[in-house]
Amino acid sequence: DAKTTQPPSMDCAEGRAANLPCNHSTISGNEYVYWYRQIHSQGPQYIIHGLKNNETNEMASLIITEDRKSSTLILPHATLRDTAVYYCIVRETIQGAQKLVFGQGTRLTINP
Amino acid sequence: DTGVSQDPRHKITKRGQNVTFRCDPISEHNRLYWYRQTLGQGPEFLTYFQNEAQLEKSRLLSDRFSAERPKGSFSTLEIQRTEQGDSAMYLCASSRGPDFNQPQHFGDGTRLSIL
């Protein structure tokens, strides 16, 4: 079973920041938080990951709370092409724990 | 990097036939994964290779399924005696070692339809 809880759907206006929440209250000390998105008929696309510090790359920012029980993915200036299902996944980073366990994700719709 | 490549993109076959899919990972990625995704669901893990060694298999991988990665480069996934329930998107992903926190990068999958 997935160890994360996400809202099933969200809407955001084009050009605004999209903030996608994720709860992972049972996360353990060696588990990273990964974010992927999937556009219809394509494979999941890696976005960003982190352990405890906030992370930023060219696609997004990841804000992890100090207790690590929740995180937020921020798309700073959403475009129509950001419409997708977004998956938040926690995963141990040890041998024997390689699989990603996907939940239902959040269906993000960017509106013009 | 060129991305993960999967072939074919689509496969339609009759129930009972055997099918084989191929995955070419990102070059120099020593870890390779297979997932299956049915309509409306997130991907589900099937199996994992580190180099040529198959290190983990899901219980979803019945005895009709076999995966190989003979030289630690490309991988094949074969389904024998296909059934209606095998209709799904089969996704391949790869990641770089040795750090286990490196992200998996996915291909665009092979969509299998069983008639």
Side-chain angles (χ1 to χ4, degrees):
Chain A
D1 289 341
K3 299 181 180 180
T4 61
T5 304
Q6 300 177 253
S9 63
M10 292 182 63
D11 286 86
C12 180
E14 188 178 18
R16 303 297 294 270
N19 297 279
L20 291 92
C22 179
N23 285 322
H24 31 80
S25 58
T26 61
I27 194 170
S28 62
N30 63 351
E31 288 182 316
Y32 278 68
V33 180
Y34 293 80
W35 282 84
Y36 285 80
R37 72 181 183 185
Q38 189 169 26
I39 296 168
H40 184 60
S41 295
Q42 297 182 17
Q45 179 188 22
Y46 165 74
I47 302 173
I48 199 167
H49 74 287
L51 182 62
K52 49 184 157 183
N53 297 323
N54 297 337
E55 303 286 346
T56 295
N57 63 20
E58 65 279 4
M59 289 183 67
S61 294
L62 173 60
I63 309 297
I64 302 174
T65 57
E66 192 168 343
D67 64 6
R68 303 212 317 126
K69 293 185 176 181
S70 65
S71 60
T72 301
L73 179 75
I74 302 172
L75 308 178
H77 304 286
T79 72
L80 298 179
R81 289 186 294 181
D82 292 322
T83 292
V85 177
Y86 286 75
Y87 295 101
C88 170
I89 300 166
V90 297
R91 180 173 75 93
E92 288 187 276
T93 52
I94 58 174
Q95 182 67 282
Q98 292 300 299
K99 65 183 178 185
L100 296 171
V101 179
F102 289 79
Q104 295 299 308
T106 295
R107 183 172 298 278
L108 175 68
T109 302
I110 307 300
N111 300 307
Chain B
D1 286 331
T2 57
V4 176
S5 176
Q6 294 190 245
D7 184 70
R9 288 297 313 278
H10 303 274
K11 178 71 176 177
I12 301 173
T13 192
K14 293 182 179 178
R15 184 166 52 96
Q17 298 294 305
N18 299 342
V19 294
T20 301
F21 312 138
R22 177 180 170 123
C23 170
D24 287 272
I26 295 171
S27 63
E28 298 180 357
H29 279 194
N30 64 334
R31 299 191 178 118
L32 186 146
Y33 313 79
W34 286 98
Y35 291 80
R36 181 177 73 182
Q37 185 173 25
T38 54
L39 206 60
Q41 303 297 316
E44 296 175 287
F45 171 79
L46 292 178
T47 190
Y48 153 60
F49 290 85
Q50 181 163 303
N51 300 312
E52 65 276 10
Q54 189 173 17
L55 296 185
E56 190 174 353
K57 291 195 289 187
S58 162
R59 66 179 187 279
L60 294 175
L61 211 67
S62 76
D63 55 7
R64 295 186 298 106
F65 288 69
S66 62
E68 294 183 342
R69 195 181 182 200
K71 296 184 179 178
S73 57
F74 73 92
S75 175
T76 58
L77 177 67
E78 181 183 16
I79 309 174
Q80 296 182 327
R81 306 180 303 279
T82 53
E83 302 173 354
Q84 292 280 354
D86 296 332
S87 293
M89 175 81 85
Y90 290 84
L91 294 159
C92 177
S94 68
S95 67
R96 189 196 314 267
D99 294 338
F100 289 108
N101 67 344
Q102 291 299 308
Q104 298 175 26
H105 296 273
F106 285 80
D108 283 336
T110 294
R111 182 169 296 284
L112 174 64
S113 298
I114 306 298
L115 301 178

